[in-house]
Amino acid sequence: MDEKYYTVDQLSQMLSMHPKTIQRYIREGKLCATKLGKSWRISGHDLSRFTEENRVTDSDVQKDDLEAVCVRASAVVDVSVRSSDRASRIIDSLNAAMNFKPPEYGQASMHAQYLEPDHMVRITLWGNLQFISAVLGAIEVFTQQREETI
């Protein structure tokens, strides 16, 4: 039984892919191929295996589209304080919250410092929108508590 073999150019037309993409799949071992001289040949069997293993469904495309949307934000918040004790309480509370941040916040960071000459706590945030929103909410709670105690 004679097996059909395809060139990289034939496959790129059949699969609507760039020839360099096909060559990359061969180099990465995702697509089995045989080298004939300077060019690659892909058997019909290997092509079938490749297309079955890499079948893309509509739900996969929608899922990939959703995962591709990645929003990161940064914020700088200055909170005026009357004493270094109050600044320490705010910074310690935020650091404690960062130690127990949920995994859905992903990679996120917070830096807080007390600027004594200005009587101010400067908080720098970086992360996804959910993280930024949660920390800003916590800062709002801290500042409301401060206003109530004045």
Side-chain angles (χ1 to χ4, degrees):
M1 180 162 92
D2 292 333
E3 181 149 16
K4 175 94 172 144
Y5 285 86
Y6 301 94
T7 66
V8 170
D9 289 332
Q10 288 173 325
L11 273 185
S12 71
Q13 288 178 349
M14 290 170 57
L15 300 175
S16 299
M17 292 181 175
H18 196 277
K20 293 207 182 265
T21 304
I22 303 290
Q23 291 171 348
R24 187 182 77 232
Y25 288 150
I26 293 170
R27 271 193 321 274
E28 293 173 350
K30 294 178 181 179
L31 176 61
C32 293
T34 305
K35 192 140 190 181
L36 261 162
K38 291 184 177 182
S39 60
W40 290 100
R41 297 288 188 260
I42 299 94
S43 71
H45 175 73
D46 288 331
L47 174 60
S48 295
R49 281 190 20 217
F50 174 77
T51 55
E52 285 298 315
E53 291 171 2
N54 296 291
R55 179 168 291 173
V56 177
T57 64
D58 288 341
S59 63
D60 291 337
V61 170
Q62 291 170 356
K63 181 180 176 187
D64 288 344
D65 288 345
L66 290 174
E67 289 176 14
V69 175
C70 182
V71 178
R72 297 279 182 228
S74 62
V76 177
V77 181
D78 289 335
V79 180
S80 60
V81 293
R82 291 191 179 196
S83 69
S84 61
D85 289 340
R86 179 71 181 147
S88 292
R89 283 197 298 275
I90 291 172
I91 292 170
D92 290 345
S93 297
L94 289 171
N95 282 328
M98 283 298 291
N99 288 333
F100 295 100
K101 68 179 173 68
E104 57 267 13
Y105 290 171
Q107 288 185 333
S109 66
M110 185 222 39
H111 176 73
Q113 64 183 25
Y114 176 52
L115 305 173
E116 190 170 4
D118 299 327
H119 300 287
M120 189 179 318
V121 173
R122 177 161 290 155
I123 304 155
T124 308
L125 306 169
W126 178 86
N128 65 27
L129 295 176
Q130 188 178 10
F131 167 75
I132 300 288
S133 176
V135 176
L136 290 175
I139 293 169
E140 181 181 21
V141 168
F142 297 144
T143 57
Q144 285 175 352
Q145 289 174 353
R146 190 187 105 222
E147 290 171 0
E148 292 170 3
T149 59
I150 293 178

